[in-house]
Amino acid sequence: MLKNIACRPRVAWPDSVSWPARTSHMRSLKLGARLGTPTAIVFMAALVLTAAWGILRLEVATPRGLNRSLHPAPELSWPPLSQDTTATIDLQFLEHVADLPPAFIVRWDGYWFAPVAQPVTLQVRTTSRVSVYVDGELVLRHDAASGQTPAPTTVTLTPGAHQIVIDYAQEDTPLGVGSRVSVQWTPDGHRSRPLPADRLFVRRLDRRGYYETMAVSWLGWGAVVAWLTAPV
């Protein structure tokens, strides 16, 4: 072993090459010497999966979530005060909105994709007024001022994408700690839960687009697993 080390040729570095550059070059040589080993294969697989996921996520997958916009009341046609994308139906984001008017409307809109036909029970909880539309039809409305307990409603979703719009209106009441809104769904025979983030999309898509988006998501998880298995 000592003989092999002693006979190994030394690299003559020009004075113009800095020590960091020399170190980087030597590390590259060591990595290159390991190509073809299981470690290198996993490392390269992680790189390829990550690159493929990044490209397909932008070019193929349909963005998940709902379009959320904040408008001064009473007109949704007025320019929004803020716009973003989220799958969460709540008012926590208002804490970060400067100069929030006392009367405003928050709208969530997008598409709910149903892989198969299924009945869906929707229920709301709010301290103000909420309206829920599915495919342009008002299916649920509750006004907390009525003092009544909000009643759930059941709609049957056929296979495919269904437009969903949720409007929350608050009029001339300062946003307080008690201001809240939530919309939940109850799959047939299950407990109520938040709207399914993996079924909500910012634009309409067909069955092919849905499964392409699912495949890109699984590709991303594959990249994560590859990086976790790759030795550091």
Side-chain angles (χ1 to χ4, degrees):
M1 179 65 69
L2 293 176
K3 181 179 179 180
N4 291 338
I5 295 177
C7 296
R8 186 175 301 168
R10 299 180 61 184
V11 178
W13 295 98
D15 294 338
S16 59
V17 180
S18 63
W19 279 106
R22 300 180 191 184
T23 304
S24 175
H25 178 73
M26 296 305 296
R27 287 178 178 175
S28 299
L29 291 178
K30 291 180 180 179
L31 179 61
R34 298 174 66 181
L35 288 177
T37 65
T39 299
I41 293 174
V42 174
F43 181 78
M44 293 302 296
L47 284 177
V48 171
L49 287 174
T50 302
W53 172 77
I55 295 173
L56 294 175
R57 184 173 64 92
L58 297 176
E59 301 295 334
V60 175
T62 302
R64 283 192 170 97
L66 298 175
N67 302 300
R68 180 175 62 188
S69 56
L70 171 65
H71 303 260
E75 294 295 334
L76 280 166
S77 59
W78 292 355
L81 302 175
S82 68
Q83 289 179 302
D84 60 358
T85 301
T86 180
T88 305
I89 311 298
D90 60 30
L91 300 177
Q92 294 184 6
F93 77 103
L94 295 177
E95 299 175 0
H96 308 288
V97 176
D99 301 324
L100 181 68
F104 59 87
I105 300 173
V106 182
R107 165 165 285 189
W108 295 264
D109 70 272
Y111 291 88
W112 181 326
F113 189 89
V116 296
Q118 65 175 140
V120 171
T121 299
L122 298 173
Q123 189 166 13
V124 302
R125 293 285 186 271
T126 183
T127 54
S128 189
R129 187 172 70 252
V130 174
S131 302
V132 180
Y133 302 84
V134 176
D135 292 331
E137 180 182 352
L138 177 65
V139 298
L140 185 58
R141 172 173 287 171
H142 176 67
D143 191 343
S146 66
Q148 299 178 355
T149 301
T153 186
T154 300
V155 296
T156 299
L157 299 180
T158 57
H162 299 268
Q163 185 183 35
I164 181 170
V165 176
I166 302 169
D167 287 338
Y168 170 88
Q170 182 160 309
E171 299 178 357
D172 300 325
T173 303
L175 183 66
V177 178
S179 298
R180 63 185 177 86
V181 62
S182 69
V183 179
Q184 296 191 321
W185 76 303
T186 305
D188 189 26
H190 295 78
R191 298 176 58 183
S192 61
R193 61 193 66 179
L195 298 184
D198 61 335
R199 303 279 183 87
L200 303 178
F201 299 91
V202 299
R203 61 176 182 264
R204 183 182 291 276
L205 72 168
D206 56 14
R207 180 174 294 272
R208 176 179 176 179
Y210 172 74
Y211 285 109
E212 285 178 346
T213 301
M214 294 293 292
V216 172
S217 177
W218 282 109
L219 183 65
W221 282 110
V224 171
V225 172
W227 282 114
L228 291 176
T229 16
V232 180

Short mmCIF file of all heavy atoms in Angstrom, two decimals, residues 28-92:
data_model
loop_
_atom_site.label_atom_id
_atom_site.label_comp_id
_atom_site.label_asym_id
_atom_site.label_seq_id
_atom_site.Cartn_x
_atom_site.Cartn_y
_atom_site.Cartn_z
N SER A 28 -13.82 16.10 -7.82
CA SER A 28 -14.45 15.64 -9.05
C SER A 28 -13.80 14.35 -9.55
O SER A 28 -14.48 13.44 -10.04
CB SER A 28 -14.35 16.72 -10.14
OG SER A 28 -15.01 17.89 -9.74
N LEU A 29 -12.48 14.26 -9.40
CA LEU A 29 -11.80 13.04 -9.80
C LEU A 29 -12.23 11.86 -8.96
O LEU A 29 -12.43 10.75 -9.45
CB LEU A 29 -10.27 13.24 -9.69
CG LEU A 29 -9.64 14.20 -10.71
CD1 LEU A 29 -8.14 14.34 -10.43
CD2 LEU A 29 -9.88 13.73 -12.13
N LYS A 30 -12.39 12.10 -7.64
CA LYS A 30 -12.83 11.02 -6.76
C LYS A 30 -14.24 10.56 -7.11
O LYS A 30 -14.54 9.37 -7.11
CB LYS A 30 -12.77 11.48 -5.30
CG LYS A 30 -11.36 11.70 -4.79
CD LYS A 30 -11.39 12.16 -3.32
CE LYS A 30 -9.97 12.37 -2.79
NZ LYS A 30 -9.98 12.85 -1.38
N LEU A 31 -15.15 11.54 -7.41
CA LEU A 31 -16.51 11.19 -7.79
C LEU A 31 -16.52 10.42 -9.10
O LEU A 31 -17.24 9.44 -9.27
CB LEU A 31 -17.37 12.45 -7.92
CG LEU A 31 -18.83 12.23 -8.34
CD1 LEU A 31 -19.55 11.36 -7.33
CD2 LEU A 31 -19.54 13.57 -8.51
N GLY A 32 -15.68 10.87 -10.04
CA GLY A 32 -15.61 10.18 -11.30
C GLY A 32 -15.11 8.75 -11.15
O GLY A 32 -15.54 7.85 -11.87
N ALA A 33 -14.19 8.54 -10.20
CA ALA A 33 -13.67 7.20 -9.97
C ALA A 33 -14.73 6.27 -9.41
O ALA A 33 -14.62 5.05 -9.52
CB ALA A 33 -12.47 7.26 -9.03
N ARG A 34 -15.78 6.87 -8.82
CA ARG A 34 -16.82 6.05 -8.19
C ARG A 34 -18.00 5.79 -9.13
O ARG A 34 -18.96 5.13 -8.77
CB ARG A 34 -17.32 6.73 -6.93
CG ARG A 34 -16.24 6.92 -5.88
CD ARG A 34 -16.75 7.73 -4.71
NE ARG A 34 -17.79 7.02 -3.97
CZ ARG A 34 -18.41 7.53 -2.91
NH1 ARG A 34 -18.12 8.76 -2.51
NH2 ARG A 34 -19.33 6.84 -2.29
N LEU A 35 -17.96 6.35 -10.36
CA LEU A 35 -19.05 6.12 -11.31
C LEU A 35 -19.16 4.63 -11.60
O LEU A 35 -18.19 3.93 -11.80
CB LEU A 35 -18.80 6.89 -12.61
CG LEU A 35 -18.97 8.41 -12.51
CD1 LEU A 35 -18.63 9.04 -13.84
CD2 LEU A 35 -20.39 8.77 -12.10
N GLY A 36 -20.38 4.15 -11.64
CA GLY A 36 -20.62 2.73 -11.85
C GLY A 36 -20.85 2.00 -10.56
O GLY A 36 -21.34 0.87 -10.58
N THR A 37 -20.55 2.61 -9.42
CA THR A 37 -20.82 1.99 -8.13
C THR A 37 -22.27 2.24 -7.75
O THR A 37 -22.92 3.14 -8.28
CB THR A 37 -19.90 2.59 -7.05
OG1 THR A 37 -20.23 3.97 -6.89
CG2 THR A 37 -18.43 2.45 -7.46
N PRO A 38 -22.84 1.44 -6.82
CA PRO A 38 -24.22 1.66 -6.39
C PRO A 38 -24.46 3.07 -5.87
O PRO A 38 -25.53 3.65 -6.12
CB PRO A 38 -24.41 0.60 -5.29
CG PRO A 38 -23.45 -0.48 -5.66
CD PRO A 38 -22.25 0.21 -6.24
N THR A 39 -23.50 3.63 -5.16
CA THR A 39 -23.66 4.98 -4.64
C THR A 39 -23.83 5.99 -5.77
O THR A 39 -24.72 6.84 -5.73
CB THR A 39 -22.43 5.38 -3.80
OG1 THR A 39 -22.32 4.49 -2.70
CG2 THR A 39 -22.56 6.81 -3.29
N ALA A 40 -23.00 5.88 -6.80
CA ALA A 40 -23.09 6.80 -7.93
C ALA A 40 -24.39 6.62 -8.69
O ALA A 40 -24.99 7.59 -9.16
CB ALA A 40 -21.90 6.60 -8.86
N ILE A 41 -24.86 5.39 -8.80
CA ILE A 41 -26.10 5.13 -9.52
C ILE A 41 -27.28 5.79 -8.82
O ILE A 41 -28.12 6.44 -9.45
CB ILE A 41 -26.33 3.61 -9.67
CG1 ILE A 41 -25.27 3.00 -10.58
CG2 ILE A 41 -27.73 3.32 -10.19
CD1 ILE A 41 -25.31 1.50 -10.67
N VAL A 42 -27.33 5.66 -7.49
CA VAL A 42 -28.41 6.28 -6.72
C VAL A 42 -28.32 7.80 -6.82
O VAL A 42 -29.33 8.50 -6.96
CB VAL A 42 -28.36 5.82 -5.24
CG1 VAL A 42 -29.39 6.58 -4.40
CG2 VAL A 42 -28.61 4.33 -5.14
N PHE A 43 -27.09 8.32 -6.75
CA PHE A 43 -26.88 9.76 -6.83
C PHE A 43 -27.35 10.31 -8.17
O PHE A 43 -28.06 11.31 -8.25
CB PHE A 43 -25.39 10.07 -6.60
CG PHE A 43 -25.07 11.53 -6.65
CD1 PHE A 43 -25.35 12.35 -5.56
CD2 PHE A 43 -24.48 12.09 -7.78
CE1 PHE A 43 -25.05 13.70 -5.61
CE2 PHE A 43 -24.18 13.44 -7.83
CZ PHE A 43 -24.46 14.25 -6.73
N MET A 44 -26.98 9.63 -9.25
CA MET A 44 -27.37 10.08 -10.57
C MET A 44 -28.89 9.93 -10.77
O MET A 44 -29.53 10.76 -11.40
CB MET A 44 -26.63 9.27 -11.64
CG MET A 44 -25.12 9.53 -11.67
SD MET A 44 -24.73 11.28 -11.95
CE MET A 44 -25.41 11.51 -13.58
N ALA A 45 -29.46 8.86 -10.21
CA ALA A 45 -30.91 8.67 -10.31
C ALA A 45 -31.65 9.80 -9.61
O ALA A 45 -32.66 10.31 -10.11
CB ALA A 45 -31.31 7.33 -9.70
N ALA A 46 -31.14 10.23 -8.46
CA ALA A 46 -31.76 11.34 -7.73
C ALA A 46 -31.70 12.62 -8.54
O ALA A 46 -32.67 13.38 -8.60
CB ALA A 46 -31.08 11.52 -6.37
N LEU A 47 -30.55 12.86 -9.20
CA LEU A 47 -30.41 14.05 -10.04
C LEU A 47 -31.39 14.02 -11.21
O LEU A 47 -32.06 15.02 -11.51
CB LEU A 47 -28.97 14.16 -10.55
CG LEU A 47 -27.90 14.63 -9.57
CD1 LEU A 47 -26.54 14.61 -10.24
CD2 LEU A 47 -28.21 16.04 -9.07
N VAL A 48 -31.47 12.87 -11.87
CA VAL A 48 -32.35 12.75 -13.04
C VAL A 48 -33.81 12.91 -12.64
O VAL A 48 -34.58 13.63 -13.29
CB VAL A 48 -32.12 11.40 -13.74
CG1 VAL A 48 -33.16 11.18 -14.82
CG2 VAL A 48 -30.72 11.36 -14.35
N LEU A 49 -34.22 12.26 -11.54
CA LEU A 49 -35.61 12.36 -11.09
C LEU A 49 -35.97 13.78 -10.70
O LEU A 49 -37.06 14.27 -11.01
CB LEU A 49 -35.83 11.41 -9.90
CG LEU A 49 -35.89 9.92 -10.23
CD1 LEU A 49 -35.97 9.11 -8.95
CD2 LEU A 49 -37.06 9.61 -11.14
N THR A 50 -35.04 14.46 -10.03
CA THR A 50 -35.30 15.84 -9.61
C THR A 50 -35.44 16.76 -10.83
O THR A 50 -36.34 17.60 -10.88
CB THR A 50 -34.17 16.35 -8.70
OG1 THR A 50 -34.07 15.48 -7.56
CG2 THR A 50 -34.46 17.75 -8.21
N ALA A 51 -34.55 16.60 -11.79
CA ALA A 51 -34.63 17.43 -12.99
C ALA A 51 -35.91 17.16 -13.77
O ALA A 51 -36.59 18.09 -14.22
CB ALA A 51 -33.40 17.18 -13.87
N ALA A 52 -36.27 15.88 -13.90
CA ALA A 52 -37.49 15.53 -14.64
C ALA A 52 -38.72 16.07 -13.93
O ALA A 52 -39.64 16.60 -14.57
CB ALA A 52 -37.58 14.01 -14.79
N TRP A 53 -38.75 15.94 -12.60
CA TRP A 53 -39.89 16.44 -11.83
C TRP A 53 -40.02 17.96 -11.98
O TRP A 53 -41.12 18.48 -12.15
CB TRP A 53 -39.73 16.08 -10.37
CG TRP A 53 -40.75 16.72 -9.49
CD1 TRP A 53 -42.06 16.36 -9.33
CD2 TRP A 53 -40.56 17.87 -8.66
NE1 TRP A 53 -42.69 17.19 -8.45
CE2 TRP A 53 -41.80 18.14 -8.02
CE3 TRP A 53 -39.47 18.69 -8.38
CZ2 TRP A 53 -41.96 19.20 -7.13
CZ3 TRP A 53 -39.63 19.73 -7.50
CH2 TRP A 53 -40.86 19.99 -6.88
N GLY A 54 -38.90 18.68 -11.91
CA GLY A 54 -38.94 20.13 -12.05
C GLY A 54 -39.49 20.58 -13.39
O GLY A 54 -40.27 21.52 -13.47
N ILE A 55 -39.10 19.89 -14.45
CA ILE A 55 -39.58 20.27 -15.79
C ILE A 55 -41.04 19.91 -15.97
O ILE A 55 -41.86 20.72 -16.43
CB ILE A 55 -38.71 19.58 -16.87
CG1 ILE A 55 -37.27 20.11 -16.79
CG2 ILE A 55 -39.29 19.81 -18.26
CD1 ILE A 55 -36.30 19.37 -17.69
N LEU A 56 -41.41 18.67 -15.60
CA LEU A 56 -42.79 18.22 -15.80
C LEU A 56 -43.78 18.96 -14.91
O LEU A 56 -44.93 19.16 -15.29
CB LEU A 56 -42.88 16.71 -15.53
CG LEU A 56 -42.10 15.83 -16.52
CD1 LEU A 56 -42.16 14.37 -16.09
CD2 LEU A 56 -42.65 15.99 -17.93
N ARG A 57 -43.34 19.38 -13.74
CA ARG A 57 -44.22 20.12 -12.84
C ARG A 57 -44.64 21.44 -13.48
O ARG A 57 -45.77 21.90 -13.28
CB ARG A 57 -43.51 20.39 -11.51
CG ARG A 57 -44.36 21.07 -10.46
CD ARG A 57 -43.62 21.11 -9.15
NE ARG A 57 -42.42 21.92 -9.25
CZ ARG A 57 -42.36 23.22 -8.98
NH1 ARG A 57 -43.45 23.87 -8.62
NH2 ARG A 57 -41.23 23.89 -9.07
N LEU A 58 -43.74 22.04 -14.24
CA LEU A 58 -44.05 23.31 -14.89
C LEU A 58 -44.75 23.13 -16.23
O LEU A 58 -45.61 23.94 -16.62
CB LEU A 58 -42.76 24.12 -15.09
CG LEU A 58 -42.03 24.55 -13.82
CD1 LEU A 58 -40.73 25.24 -14.17
CD2 LEU A 58 -42.90 25.46 -12.96
N GLU A 59 -44.39 22.07 -16.97
CA GLU A 59 -44.88 21.91 -18.34
C GLU A 59 -46.10 21.01 -18.47
O GLU A 59 -46.87 21.15 -19.42
CB GLU A 59 -43.75 21.36 -19.23
CG GLU A 59 -42.50 22.25 -19.28
CD GLU A 59 -42.77 23.58 -19.93
OE1 GLU A 59 -43.70 23.65 -20.77
OE2 GLU A 59 -42.07 24.55 -19.62
N VAL A 60 -46.29 20.07 -17.53
CA VAL A 60 -47.34 19.07 -17.68
C VAL A 60 -48.39 19.16 -16.58
O VAL A 60 -49.59 19.16 -16.86
CB VAL A 60 -46.72 17.65 -17.70
CG1 VAL A 60 -47.82 16.59 -17.74
CG2 VAL A 60 -45.78 17.49 -18.90
N ALA A 61 -47.96 19.23 -15.33
CA ALA A 61 -48.89 19.16 -14.20
C ALA A 61 -49.78 20.41 -14.13
O ALA A 61 -49.35 21.52 -14.45
CB ALA A 61 -48.12 19.00 -12.89
N THR A 62 -51.02 20.21 -13.71
CA THR A 62 -51.94 21.32 -13.46
C THR A 62 -51.78 21.76 -12.01
O THR A 62 -51.83 20.92 -11.10
CB THR A 62 -53.39 20.88 -13.71
OG1 THR A 62 -53.52 20.41 -15.05
CG2 THR A 62 -54.36 22.02 -13.48
N PRO A 63 -51.56 23.05 -11.76
CA PRO A 63 -51.35 23.52 -10.39
C PRO A 63 -52.53 23.17 -9.48
O PRO A 63 -53.69 23.32 -9.86
CB PRO A 63 -51.19 25.04 -10.54
CG PRO A 63 -50.76 25.22 -11.95
CD PRO A 63 -51.43 24.14 -12.75
N ARG A 64 -52.22 22.71 -8.29
CA ARG A 64 -53.25 22.35 -7.32
C ARG A 64 -53.68 23.57 -6.52
O ARG A 64 -52.97 24.55 -6.41
CB ARG A 64 -52.74 21.26 -6.39
CG ARG A 64 -52.71 19.87 -7.00
CD ARG A 64 -52.48 18.83 -5.92
NE ARG A 64 -52.67 17.48 -6.42
CZ ARG A 64 -51.69 16.70 -6.82
NH1 ARG A 64 -50.46 17.16 -6.81
NH2 ARG A 64 -51.93 15.48 -7.24
N GLY A 65 -54.87 23.45 -5.91
CA GLY A 65 -55.38 24.51 -5.05
C GLY A 65 -56.51 25.29 -5.72
O GLY A 65 -56.98 24.93 -6.80
N LEU A 66 -56.92 26.36 -5.05
CA LEU A 66 -57.97 27.24 -5.56
C LEU A 66 -57.43 28.65 -5.68
O LEU A 66 -56.53 29.05 -4.92
CB LEU A 66 -59.18 27.24 -4.61
CG LEU A 66 -59.90 25.90 -4.40
CD1 LEU A 66 -60.97 26.05 -3.34
CD2 LEU A 66 -60.48 25.39 -5.71
N ASN A 67 -57.95 29.40 -6.64
CA ASN A 67 -57.59 30.81 -6.76
C ASN A 67 -58.31 31.58 -5.64
O ASN A 67 -59.54 31.49 -5.52
CB ASN A 67 -58.01 31.35 -8.11
CG ASN A 67 -57.37 30.59 -9.26
OD1 ASN A 67 -56.15 30.54 -9.38
ND2 ASN A 67 -58.18 29.97 -10.09
N ARG A 68 -57.56 32.32 -4.86
CA ARG A 68 -58.15 33.10 -3.76
C ARG A 68 -57.95 34.58 -4.03
O ARG A 68 -56.83 35.02 -4.32
CB ARG A 68 -57.52 32.72 -2.42
CG ARG A 68 -58.09 33.49 -1.24
CD ARG A 68 -57.52 32.99 0.08
NE ARG A 68 -56.08 33.15 0.16
CZ ARG A 68 -55.32 32.65 1.14
NH1 ARG A 68 -55.88 31.92 2.09
NH2 ARG A 68 -54.02 32.85 1.15
N SER A 69 -59.02 35.35 -3.94
CA SER A 69 -58.93 36.79 -4.16
C SER A 69 -59.71 37.53 -3.09
O SER A 69 -60.76 37.07 -2.62
CB SER A 69 -59.46 37.16 -5.56
OG SER A 69 -60.79 36.69 -5.73
N LEU A 70 -59.18 38.67 -2.69
CA LEU A 70 -59.78 39.53 -1.67
C LEU A 70 -60.25 40.81 -2.35
O LEU A 70 -59.47 41.49 -3.01
CB LEU A 70 -58.75 39.84 -0.57
CG LEU A 70 -59.14 40.89 0.45
CD1 LEU A 70 -60.34 40.44 1.29
CD2 LEU A 70 -57.94 41.21 1.36
N HIS A 71 -61.54 41.13 -2.16
CA HIS A 71 -62.13 42.29 -2.81
C HIS A 71 -62.80 43.20 -1.78
O HIS A 71 -63.37 42.71 -0.80
CB HIS A 71 -63.20 41.86 -3.83
CG HIS A 71 -62.70 40.92 -4.88
ND1 HIS A 71 -62.36 41.34 -6.14
CD2 HIS A 71 -62.47 39.58 -4.85
CE1 HIS A 71 -61.96 40.30 -6.85
NE2 HIS A 71 -62.02 39.23 -6.09
N PRO A 72 -62.76 44.51 -2.02
CA PRO A 72 -63.55 45.40 -1.17
C PRO A 72 -65.04 45.21 -1.49
O PRO A 72 -65.42 45.11 -2.65
CB PRO A 72 -63.06 46.80 -1.56
CG PRO A 72 -62.52 46.64 -2.95
CD PRO A 72 -61.98 45.24 -3.04
N ALA A 73 -65.86 45.13 -0.46
CA ALA A 73 -67.31 44.96 -0.68
C ALA A 73 -67.88 46.28 -1.22
O ALA A 73 -67.34 47.35 -0.95
CB ALA A 73 -67.98 44.55 0.62
N PRO A 74 -68.98 46.20 -1.96
CA PRO A 74 -69.80 45.00 -2.20
C PRO A 74 -69.59 44.36 -3.56
O PRO A 74 -70.33 43.45 -3.90
CB PRO A 74 -71.21 45.57 -2.11
CG PRO A 74 -71.08 46.94 -2.73
CD PRO A 74 -69.70 47.43 -2.37
N GLU A 75 -68.62 44.81 -4.38
CA GLU A 75 -68.53 44.36 -5.76
C GLU A 75 -67.30 43.49 -5.99
O GLU A 75 -66.17 43.91 -5.73
CB GLU A 75 -68.49 45.56 -6.72
CG GLU A 75 -69.76 46.38 -6.75
CD GLU A 75 -70.95 45.59 -7.28
OE1 GLU A 75 -70.72 44.64 -8.06
OE2 GLU A 75 -72.09 45.92 -6.92
N LEU A 76 -67.53 42.27 -6.50
CA LEU A 76 -66.41 41.41 -6.88
C LEU A 76 -65.73 41.90 -8.14
O LEU A 76 -64.62 41.49 -8.45
CB LEU A 76 -66.91 39.98 -7.08
CG LEU A 76 -67.11 39.15 -5.81
CD1 LEU A 76 -67.91 37.91 -6.12
CD2 LEU A 76 -65.78 38.78 -5.20
N SER A 77 -66.40 42.77 -8.89
CA SER A 77 -65.83 43.29 -10.13
C SER A 77 -64.74 44.31 -9.88
O SER A 77 -63.97 44.65 -10.78
CB SER A 77 -66.92 43.90 -11.00
OG SER A 77 -67.58 44.96 -10.31
N TRP A 78 -64.65 44.84 -8.65
CA TRP A 78 -63.60 45.80 -8.34
C TRP A 78 -62.25 45.10 -8.30
O TRP A 78 -62.17 43.90 -8.02
CB TRP A 78 -63.89 46.48 -7.01
CG TRP A 78 -65.09 47.39 -7.07
CD1 TRP A 78 -65.82 47.71 -8.16
CD2 TRP A 78 -65.70 48.07 -5.97
NE1 TRP A 78 -66.85 48.55 -7.84
CE2 TRP A 78 -66.80 48.80 -6.49
CE3 TRP A 78 -65.44 48.15 -4.61
CZ2 TRP A 78 -67.62 49.59 -5.70
CZ3 TRP A 78 -66.25 48.94 -3.81
CH2 TRP A 78 -67.33 49.65 -4.35
N PRO A 79 -61.17 45.83 -8.58
CA PRO A 79 -59.84 45.20 -8.55
C PRO A 79 -59.56 44.55 -7.19
O PRO A 79 -59.85 45.14 -6.15
CB PRO A 79 -58.88 46.37 -8.82
CG PRO A 79 -59.72 47.38 -9.54
CD PRO A 79 -61.10 47.24 -8.97
N PRO A 80 -59.02 43.33 -7.18
CA PRO A 80 -58.75 42.65 -5.91
C PRO A 80 -57.63 43.32 -5.13
O PRO A 80 -56.70 43.88 -5.71
CB PRO A 80 -58.37 41.23 -6.34
CG PRO A 80 -57.86 41.40 -7.74
CD PRO A 80 -58.65 42.52 -8.35
N LEU A 81 -57.74 43.25 -3.81
CA LEU A 81 -56.68 43.76 -2.95
C LEU A 81 -55.51 42.79 -2.87
O LEU A 81 -54.37 43.20 -2.64
CB LEU A 81 -57.24 44.01 -1.55
CG LEU A 81 -58.42 44.98 -1.46
CD1 LEU A 81 -58.96 45.05 -0.03
CD2 LEU A 81 -58.01 46.37 -1.93
N SER A 82 -55.79 41.51 -3.06
CA SER A 82 -54.73 40.49 -3.08
C SER A 82 -55.23 39.26 -3.82
O SER A 82 -56.44 39.02 -3.89
CB SER A 82 -54.31 40.10 -1.65
OG SER A 82 -55.35 39.40 -0.99
N GLN A 83 -54.29 38.50 -4.38
CA GLN A 83 -54.60 37.27 -5.10
C GLN A 83 -53.51 36.25 -4.84
O GLN A 83 -52.32 36.60 -4.82
CB GLN A 83 -54.71 37.52 -6.60
CG GLN A 83 -55.93 38.30 -7.06
CD GLN A 83 -55.95 38.52 -8.56
OE1 GLN A 83 -55.02 39.10 -9.12
NE2 GLN A 83 -56.99 38.05 -9.22
N ASP A 84 -53.90 35.00 -4.64
CA ASP A 84 -52.93 33.93 -4.50
C ASP A 84 -53.63 32.60 -4.73
O ASP A 84 -54.78 32.55 -5.14
CB ASP A 84 -52.24 33.97 -3.12
CG ASP A 84 -53.23 33.82 -1.96
OD1 ASP A 84 -54.44 33.73 -2.22
OD2 ASP A 84 -52.79 33.79 -0.81
N THR A 85 -52.91 31.52 -4.46
CA THR A 85 -53.45 30.17 -4.64
C THR A 85 -53.30 29.40 -3.34
O THR A 85 -52.25 29.44 -2.70
CB THR A 85 -52.69 29.43 -5.76
OG1 THR A 85 -52.81 30.17 -6.98
CG2 THR A 85 -53.26 28.04 -5.95
N THR A 86 -54.37 28.72 -2.94
CA THR A 86 -54.36 27.96 -1.70
C THR A 86 -55.41 26.87 -1.76
O THR A 86 -56.37 26.95 -2.54
CB THR A 86 -54.63 28.88 -0.49
OG1 THR A 86 -54.60 28.10 0.71
CG2 THR A 86 -56.01 29.52 -0.60
N ALA A 87 -55.23 25.84 -0.94
CA ALA A 87 -56.25 24.80 -0.80
C ALA A 87 -56.94 24.90 0.55
O ALA A 87 -57.78 24.06 0.89
CB ALA A 87 -55.62 23.42 -0.97
N THR A 88 -56.60 25.93 1.32
CA THR A 88 -57.14 26.09 2.66
C THR A 88 -58.24 27.15 2.66
O THR A 88 -58.04 28.25 2.15
CB THR A 88 -56.03 26.52 3.65
OG1 THR A 88 -54.97 25.56 3.59
CG2 THR A 88 -56.57 26.58 5.06
N ILE A 89 -59.37 26.82 3.25
CA ILE A 89 -60.48 27.76 3.34
C ILE A 89 -60.50 28.30 4.77
O ILE A 89 -61.06 27.69 5.69
CB ILE A 89 -61.83 27.09 3.02
CG1 ILE A 89 -61.73 26.29 1.71
CG2 ILE A 89 -62.94 28.13 2.95
CD1 ILE A 89 -61.40 27.13 0.51
N ASP A 90 -59.85 29.43 4.98
CA ASP A 90 -59.86 30.10 6.27
C ASP A 90 -59.51 31.57 6.07
O ASP A 90 -59.30 32.02 4.95
CB ASP A 90 -58.91 29.42 7.28
CG ASP A 90 -57.46 29.42 6.81
OD1 ASP A 90 -57.06 30.34 6.08
OD2 ASP A 90 -56.72 28.50 7.17
N LEU A 91 -59.42 32.30 7.17
CA LEU A 91 -59.17 33.75 7.10
C LEU A 91 -57.83 34.15 7.70
O LEU A 91 -57.58 35.34 7.91
CB LEU A 91 -60.30 34.51 7.82
CG LEU A 91 -61.72 34.30 7.29
CD1 LEU A 91 -62.72 35.05 8.15
CD2 LEU A 91 -61.82 34.74 5.84
N GLN A 92 -56.97 33.21 7.96
CA GLN A 92 -55.70 33.54 8.61
C GLN A 92 -54.84 34.47 7.77
O GLN A 92 -54.07 35.28 8.30
CB GLN A 92 -54.93 32.26 8.92
CG GLN A 92 -55.61 31.37 9.96
CD GLN A 92 -54.78 30.16 10.31
OE1 GLN A 92 -53.63 30.02 9.88
NE2 GLN A 92 -55.35 29.27 11.10
#
